[in-house]
Amino acid sequence: MSESAPQKRNACVACTKAKRRCSKQTPACRRCVEKSIVCRYPAPRITPPYDLVFSEDGVASVVPVPVSRAAQRLTADIVKNPWFLSPSSWTIDYTAGPLKAQISFTDESLTHFINQLKSWLRQWTSEGRCPFIHANLWKVQLPDCVQDSFTALTAYQSKTKATEKMVLRIIEQRVNRLVEEQNSLAADLGVIMLDPATHLARTQALLMYKIIRLYDGDIRARAQAENHIDILSLWARQLWQSAGLTVSLDQAKGPLDHDSEGLVTMQLRTDGTLASTWQAWTFAESVRRTYLAATLTEAVYVTLKEGWAPCPGGITFTGGKGLWDASSPYAWLNSIRENRVVSVRCIDGERLYSEAIPSDVDEFTDATLIVSYGLERFVQWHDANEIEAPSG
């Protein structure tokens, strides 16, 4: 370790957060070595942004770019080349990478994820949103199957001992009707003809029923849910394939489709405006998170039965803090500008643990990290980055 510290180097991230003196050594400061935590120094930044202006004789001069122009450049880049509408962003990486091809979860991780799923369903019925159902997702059009699942879920969450069996029978009938209707629709049109919004609605509805029946504790409900677990897995794959196909057909840009009342319908497309790009992102991100929630729900349940589950593969989703909860296109854009973490690949957790801090990511990212890498590793990450009280 070098004992000399460059005079202009800032304190490392960990010491700055803890409000402790940093020795500024490389490759790691003394405090980080003693606490066995990753030592990261903030990268040098060029502020404000600048342009090069050349005179007639070829001499260049630096002209600072106003912040508003910098923001305009970022906006233009996001609108022109949104990563989430790129065909490559819809590929699934089935290489094991840092995760084993067959993964197992600790009991604590399983319990935590199941409790998270249940809390997300409560949040949806009380707030109209949760970490895999965006607040604006169904504002224009609310599909019948989503309405059915919402009312069934509301009844389930308010059930009593006297009404419990009746509520579970209602849910059973709703599930059977959903599967029958979707099988009939697929038989008439063909699965490939179903649009991504239809795939998303039916997958979310079945996922909510599945969470209720697998983890309610009722033996009959769990047995029935097991009969449909392959259907959820199939619908999740078809959802992902439908979104990827839509994007790959070069439909990501162009005029937006409107319904009979002139309202913009959900689509994986932007007309070049920030508002339409944000709308496309909310739809695309809902697809990504619903796919992950469905596949992880299956993996957790299989692990409960078999002790392990096959790795569902790696996909990319948006995990930066505040992005999912942004209430407007401009709030969303500001979160992108301010966040160190934007997109996350779910099999790259160790990289995230080494390069980010807990406040960089949101609740959904936390859940995927815990279920993929274990609760103990997640707690270690939090403990290593928590702010310590300055010594007296």
Side-chain angles (χ1 to χ4, degrees):
M1 179 184 297
S2 171
E3 291 298 325
S4 61
Q7 294 182 351
K8 294 184 178 181
R9 178 178 292 125
N10 292 327
C12 75
V13 174
C15 290
T16 300
K17 285 179 64 64
K19 299 180 181 180
R20 294 297 183 87
R21 184 181 299 277
C22 181
S23 63
K24 302 182 182 179
Q25 295 162 314
T26 58
C29 73
R30 185 176 296 110
R31 179 175 174 274
C32 287
V33 170
E34 292 174 351
K35 296 181 70 66
S36 298
I37 60 177
V38 176
C39 187
R40 295 182 294 112
Y41 288 95
R45 299 182 180 182
I46 301 175
T47 55
Y50 63 89
D51 288 333
L52 292 178
V53 179
F54 293 89
S55 63
E56 292 182 356
D57 57 3
V59 177
S61 58
V62 174
V63 178
V65 178
V67 174
S68 59
R69 285 182 59 194
Q72 290 173 2
R73 287 181 176 179
L74 177 60
T75 303
D77 184 60
I78 292 173
V79 171
K80 184 178 180 181
N81 299 301
W83 70 267
F84 49 87
L85 296 181
S86 167
S88 62
S89 73
W90 293 96
T91 58
I92 301 177
D93 186 357
Y94 288 105
T95 58
L99 288 179
K100 299 177 181 178
Q102 294 182 350
I103 56 178
S104 59
F105 309 103
T106 64
D107 290 342
E108 293 84 357
S109 300
L110 293 172
T111 302
H112 185 277
F113 187 73
I114 292 169
N115 289 337
Q116 280 289 92
L117 291 173
K118 292 178 178 179
S119 70
W120 292 347
L121 296 191
R122 289 192 296 270
Q123 182 183 8
W124 186 54
T125 56
S126 63
E127 301 177 18
R129 64 181 182 88
C130 74
F132 67 88
I133 303 178
H134 195 273
N136 293 325
L137 181 62
W138 303 119
K139 275 194 172 181
V140 175
Q141 296 174 327
L142 185 60
D144 289 344
C145 63
V146 178
Q147 293 182 42
D148 287 345
S149 64
F150 183 90
T151 55
L153 183 57
T154 302
Y156 176 79
Q157 292 171 349
S158 60
K159 73 182 188 305
T160 64
K161 273 293 183 181
T163 62
E164 182 176 19
K165 294 298 182 183
M166 180 174 62
V167 169
L168 289 176
R169 283 201 303 272
I170 292 173
I171 292 174
E172 178 183 350
Q173 293 173 358
R174 295 282 177 89
V175 174
N176 291 337
R177 184 171 66 187
L178 172 65
V179 173
E180 290 172 2
E181 289 177 349
Q182 291 302 317
N183 286 343
S184 176
L185 184 63
D188 292 341
L189 299 178
V191 174
I192 196 172
M193 296 302 294
L194 301 182
D195 61 90
T198 301
H199 280 287
L200 178 60
R202 71 177 193 170
T203 305
Q204 286 185 344
L206 187 58
L207 172 60
M208 285 181 278
Y209 292 134
K210 189 72 63 178
I211 294 170
I212 292 173
R213 302 207 294 171
L214 283 179
Y215 305 122
D216 172 78
D218 183 85
I219 296 176
R220 175 180 169 83
R222 178 171 296 181
Q224 293 170 337
E226 286 184 339
N227 293 334
H228 290 141
I229 199 162
D230 290 338
I231 297 178
L232 177 62
S233 179
L234 174 64
W235 285 7
R237 291 197 304 271
Q238 291 174 343
L239 164 65
W240 189 266
Q241 292 165 356
S242 175
L245 179 62
T246 299
V247 170
S248 66
L249 292 176
D250 198 25
Q251 298 177 357
K253 295 181 181 179
L256 300 179
D257 298 329
H258 297 74
D259 65 10
S260 58
E261 298 180 355
L263 298 174
V264 176
T265 56
M266 286 193 307
Q267 51 208 285
L268 296 170
R269 183 186 302 176
T270 172
D271 63 4
T273 63
L274 176 60
S276 69
T277 303
W278 178 60
Q279 184 180 42
W281 173 81
T282 62
F283 185 22
E285 187 63 17
S286 295
V287 171
R288 296 174 189 276
R289 290 182 174 220
T290 299
Y291 173 84
L292 259 181
T295 55
L296 289 176
T297 296
E298 179 187 14
V300 166
Y301 187 71
V302 170
T303 303
L304 285 171
K305 291 186 63 179
E306 308 293 340
W308 64 274
C311 178
I315 71 164
T316 303
F317 65 95
T318 308
K321 189 81 168 182
L323 288 162
W324 181 253
D325 295 327
S327 59
S328 70
Y330 296 100
W332 176 67
L333 179 64
N334 286 335
S335 292
I336 293 177
R337 291 174 55 194
E338 296 170 359
N339 281 22
R340 285 187 296 182
V341 174
V342 177
S343 60
V344 174
R345 205 165 69 116
C346 56
I347 62 173
D348 285 344
E350 286 299 339
R351 179 179 178 183
L352 192 65
Y353 279 145
S354 64
E355 297 180 359
I357 58 177
S359 60
D360 289 337
V361 298
D362 64 11
E363 179 184 356
F364 188 82
T365 307
D366 287 347
T368 61
L369 287 172
I370 291 171
V371 78
S372 300
Y373 294 87
L375 184 60
E376 182 179 357
R377 180 68 182 90
F378 181 80
V379 171
Q380 289 174 349
W381 181 49
H382 264 256
D383 290 346
N385 289 280
E386 69 179 1
I387 299 177
E388 299 178 11
S391 59

